[in-house]
Amino acid sequence: MIPEELRYTDEHEWVATKADDLVRVGITEYAQQQLGDVVFVQLPEVGDRVEAGASIGEVESTKSVSDLYAPLSGEVVAVNEATAEQPDLLNDDPYGEGWLFEIRVDDPEALEALLDADAYQALTRA
């Protein structure tokens, strides 16, 4: 399942537009399937300045540890504490309750440079 309304990164994160300069970020269903059972999530802190492409946290599963990357530059304005307390939310509902953090982006137009659903689907089939 690849929701059409979202944008995606090569690192298997999804980005949802919440307002003109506000986005919500999570990992894709493909990513959580590759990871297996998620057991730990390290999120950035509210107020952190993040740069697109920089590692800002990690997701640990029974199989491996994967970095979380900032899809866009800006300021972290919210984190989903529920995923830190219940990491299995990433497995159960990666596009809903399993969201990770929100960023107030410096350049909202940078969102257009991310992958659309068709391009992401092509990436996961490669």
Side-chain angles (χ1 to χ4, degrees):
M1 176 178 117
I2 301 175
E4 291 284 327
E5 70 277 8
L6 303 176
R7 301 298 271 193
Y8 300 89
T9 70
D10 291 340
E11 290 81 25
H12 307 290
E13 294 164 343
W14 58 261
V15 179
T17 302
K18 302 298 289 177
D20 286 344
D21 65 345
L22 183 66
V23 297
R24 180 173 280 182
V25 181
I27 65 169
T28 65
E29 184 173 354
Y30 176 86
Q32 67 85 18
Q33 288 173 350
Q34 299 302 306
L35 285 167
D37 292 330
V38 176
V39 296
F40 176 76
V41 179
Q42 178 190 0
L43 299 172
E45 299 285 329
V46 171
D48 283 356
R49 291 274 322 149
V50 297
E51 295 298 320
S55 175
I56 60 171
E58 63 183 30
V59 176
E60 183 177 334
S61 72
T62 54
K63 293 182 183 179
S64 67
V65 176
S66 295
D67 284 334
L68 289 174
Y69 297 95
L72 301 163
S73 296
E75 179 184 354
V76 176
V77 295
V79 296
N80 186 357
E81 295 294 344
T83 57
E85 295 167 12
Q86 295 177 272
D88 60 329
L89 285 173
L90 293 175
N91 295 111
D92 297 338
D93 191 11
Y95 297 112
E97 295 298 315
W99 67 275
L100 298 173
F101 53 90
E102 293 180 349
I103 300 173
R104 184 159 318 281
V105 297
D106 294 339
D107 178 11
E109 292 184 17
L111 189 65
E112 297 303 314
L114 299 178
L115 303 172
D116 64 14
D118 290 338
Y120 184 70
Q121 185 169 32
L123 174 72
T124 60
R125 288 188 177 162

